[in-house]
């Protein structure tokens, strides 16, 4: 098995707020090669109506463009646009979305928050930000570099609220304006295609993608302070594979809510 069992994952990483890279884990996802194939995505999901933002450096004030998923796939190599989609809200792609083994337990699933696809031609840059939920990110194509700061240094990040972002320019950090950033012990994580990475809640992070096609899917879940049904989860663990279909393990929102939002909240 490539993943820890649920209790070990919680005890070793979630509870102590410790990031962990599962090298090569995403290659076990049954749809791994499908998500790497634009022709397949266009032919099977091309009618999906999407929205897109211009630019690859995150700007949360950008106006959005509307188009079909087919048109986005035809344009994203030529235009600076970036897709960010919550897959569990009526997306047809949910049929090929999978939950990793550490989360295949009711204690995790009942705290589910969002399942998001990130898709671009590469070269994207996020703002420095924190998330208000726990996160596992699985990378299907390209590579990513994350610069991260432990949540215990939260007062130094320049982020106003948890789940928000800093106004620091990630390309040209003004140390006179943000002197506290020099006091943070920063960590660097590098993801390659096929990796899955756990990003703990409230850790600050800046994400930069490689200059080639980049596609990732992540799952967010609400904070767990304890593991109340440990024995039940151990029993479930005996039957599970490394990944199970999202649609069969979690209630998917109805088709009429089918919308893709494309923005820069990496």
């Amino acid at each position: 098995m490539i993943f820890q069992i649920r209790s070990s994952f919680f005890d070793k990483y979630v509870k102590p707020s410790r990031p962990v890279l599962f090298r090569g884990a995403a290659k076990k996802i049954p749809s791994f090669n499908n998500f790497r194939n634009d022709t397949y995505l266009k032919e099977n999901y091309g009618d999906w109506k999407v929205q897109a933002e211009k630019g690859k450096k995150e700007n949360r004030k950008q106006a959005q463009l509307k188009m079909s998923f087919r048109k986005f796939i035809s344009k994203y190599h030529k235009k600076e646009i970036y897709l960010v989609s919550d897959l569990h809200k009526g997306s047809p792609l949910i049929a090929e979305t999978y939950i990793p083994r550490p989360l295949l337990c009711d204690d995790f699933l009942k705290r589910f928050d969002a399942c998001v696809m990130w898709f671009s031609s590469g070269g994207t840059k996020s703002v420095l930000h924190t998330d208000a939920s726990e996160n596992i990110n699985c990378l299907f194509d390209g590579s990513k570099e994350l610069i991260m700061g432990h949540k215990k240094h939260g007062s130094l990040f320049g982020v106003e609220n948890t789940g928000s972002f800093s106004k620091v320019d990630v390309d040209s950090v003004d140390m006179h304006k943000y002197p506290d950033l020099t006091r943070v012990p920063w960590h660097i994580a590098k993801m390659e295609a096929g990796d899955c990475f756990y990003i703990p809640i409230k850790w600050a992070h800046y994400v930069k993608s490689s200059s080639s096609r980049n596609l990732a899917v992540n799952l967010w879940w609400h904070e767990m302070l304890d593991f109340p049904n440990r024995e039940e989860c151990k029993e479930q663990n005996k039957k599970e594979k490394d990944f199970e279909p999202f649609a069969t393990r979690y209630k998917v929102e109805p088709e009429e809510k089918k919308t893709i939002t494309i923005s820069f909240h990496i």
Side-chain angles (χ1 to χ4, degrees), residues 14-71:
V14 178
K15 190 173 182 178
S17 189
R18 179 185 173 196
V20 59
L21 180 67
F22 296 100
R23 186 71 74 186
K27 293 179 181 179
K28 298 290 186 178
I29 298 175
S31 56
F32 181 76
N33 288 323
N34 290 346
F35 280 22
R36 292 163 59 88
N37 187 327
D38 282 349
T39 300
Y40 176 87
L41 293 175
K42 187 186 296 185
E43 290 178 351
N44 288 275
Y45 306 107
D47 292 337
W48 194 14
K49 300 302 179 183
V50 307
Q51 294 177 321
E53 269 193 16
K54 294 181 179 180
K56 292 186 177 181
K57 183 177 180 181
E58 183 173 5
N59 181 346
R60 300 186 179 188
K61 296 181 180 179
Q62 285 279 354
Q64 296 180 338
L65 305 173
K66 295 182 179 181
M67 64 186 74
S68 67
F69 192 36
R70 179 181 295 104
K71 188 172 183 179

Side-chain angles (χ1 to χ4, degrees), residues 99-119:
I99 300 174
R101 194 168 185 245
L103 305 185
L104 289 170
C105 169
D106 290 343
D107 281 340
F108 286 101
L109 292 176
K110 69 184 180 182
R111 291 172 172 82
F112 174 77
D113 186 14
C115 177
V116 178
M117 173 182 281
W118 315 86
F119 188 7

